[in-house]
Amino acid sequence: MTVHPRGVNHLAIATRDIKAQIEFFTDVLGCELKALYWMHGTEGAWHGFLELNPASYVAFVHHPDNPEKPDFGVTHAGTPTSPVTAGTMQHVALHVDSVDELLTLRDRIRSRGIMVMGPIDHGFCQSIYFGGPEGLVLELTAGEAIDDRAWIDPEVVGLVGIDDAELARYRDPADYQRPAEAVPQPALDRAKPHLNFPDDIYQMLATASDDDIRALISDSEPPVKVSD
């Protein structure tokens, strides 16, 4: 079995009004608030987690320096099909188990005075669309595993510039076996994807051991002590 990510643990979405986001996701969508604490390693920021299931959450990062308003077409798409800056979130779709659950949530959302489009039949899933606080574009979807034989369009493959060998590789990514010794941190190559740290931080990351980084940044103690 090829090792790859198996799901979304959490989506971390920026906010200037974390209480409004918590209110929306608990009251409108029925998600439980599971964590709200000072964000580790980020002075002045709060982190909140709303549960989708015990292994998957929608999270919000309330940073005092977050810009106050969305800039539609730049920071936010605003609709399920509008353009937005590359690398940003166009919209986020959350899974439900059945069309019946989808319809129940459609009616719950509408009962809170929020307009909902759908369900819309996309072939491999049924979806509803609606807006969330601070310009979020949200989708709920019920569906099955996508059959790549039916849903990889040869015309679009050609327009994207994918040749036959690349397509075969994308459909069946190479396996990887972890070597006996950990792979060392590579030197910074800004031609490759990278975080937006300054060079001195990257120099520290390149020379520090994984254990050193873990010791420096980890903060595993919860804010509230719980007794069984």
Side-chain angles (χ1 to χ4, degrees):
M1 180 178 66
T2 302
V3 175
H4 63 76
R6 301 294 172 185
V8 175
N9 179 273
H10 66 277
L11 297 167
I13 301 171
T15 181
R16 279 291 296 263
D17 191 346
I18 199 167
K19 184 178 180 182
Q21 295 289 1
I22 292 169
E23 177 70 25
F24 181 89
F25 274 82
T26 56
D27 181 58
V28 177
L29 295 179
C31 301
E32 297 178 9
L33 177 65
K34 287 295 186 178
L36 182 60
Y37 59 93
W38 291 104
M39 188 175 186
H40 298 155
T42 308
E43 185 175 353
W46 306 324
H47 216 1
F49 283 70
L50 288 303
E51 184 180 85
L52 303 174
N53 66 59
S56 185
Y57 303 83
V58 174
F60 289 94
V61 178
H62 184 290
H63 195 291
D65 294 333
N66 284 345
E68 188 169 353
K69 294 183 178 180
D71 185 354
F72 292 107
V74 179
T75 63
H76 292 58
T79 79
T81 57
S82 297
V84 70
T85 303
T88 62
M89 185 177 71
Q90 205 283 338
H91 69 275
V92 59
L94 306 176
H95 176 73
V96 298
D97 286 340
S98 66
V99 172
D100 185 63
E101 287 191 1
L102 190 68
L103 296 176
T104 299
L105 279 165
R106 177 202 62 188
D107 292 345
R108 176 175 181 147
I109 297 163
R110 286 177 176 171
S111 76
R112 268 56 174 184
I114 296 168
M115 294 181 63
V116 179
M117 294 167 39
I120 295 170
D121 188 350
H122 292 300
F124 57 82
C125 69
Q126 308 283 322
S127 297
I128 62 174
Y129 297 89
F130 53 100
E134 300 178 302
L136 291 181
V137 179
L138 299 171
E139 174 185 356
L140 298 180
T141 184
E144 300 177 352
I146 300 174
D147 184 347
D148 61 295
R149 299 169 301 174
W151 286 100
I152 296 179
D153 186 334
E155 180 184 13
V156 177
V157 168
L159 292 171
V160 173
I162 298 172
D163 62 31
D164 290 345
E166 289 169 329
L167 181 59
R169 179 162 53 87
Y170 297 158
R171 295 173 81 160
D172 186 18
D175 199 0
Y176 179 80
Q177 299 296 323
R178 183 161 61 92
E181 297 293 330
V183 176
Q185 194 74 267
L188 172 61
D189 180 355
R190 291 194 178 274
K192 293 186 176 182
H194 58 277
L195 299 172
N196 193 34
F197 289 128
D199 285 350
D200 59 338
I201 299 296
Y202 272 114
Q203 180 61 28
M204 183 272 290
L205 292 173
T207 56
S209 70
D210 291 338
D211 288 340
D212 288 342
I213 296 296
R214 179 182 177 89
L216 178 66
I217 299 176
S218 294
D219 187 352
S220 59
E221 288 297 320
V224 180
K225 188 173 290 295
V226 179
S227 58
D228 295 330

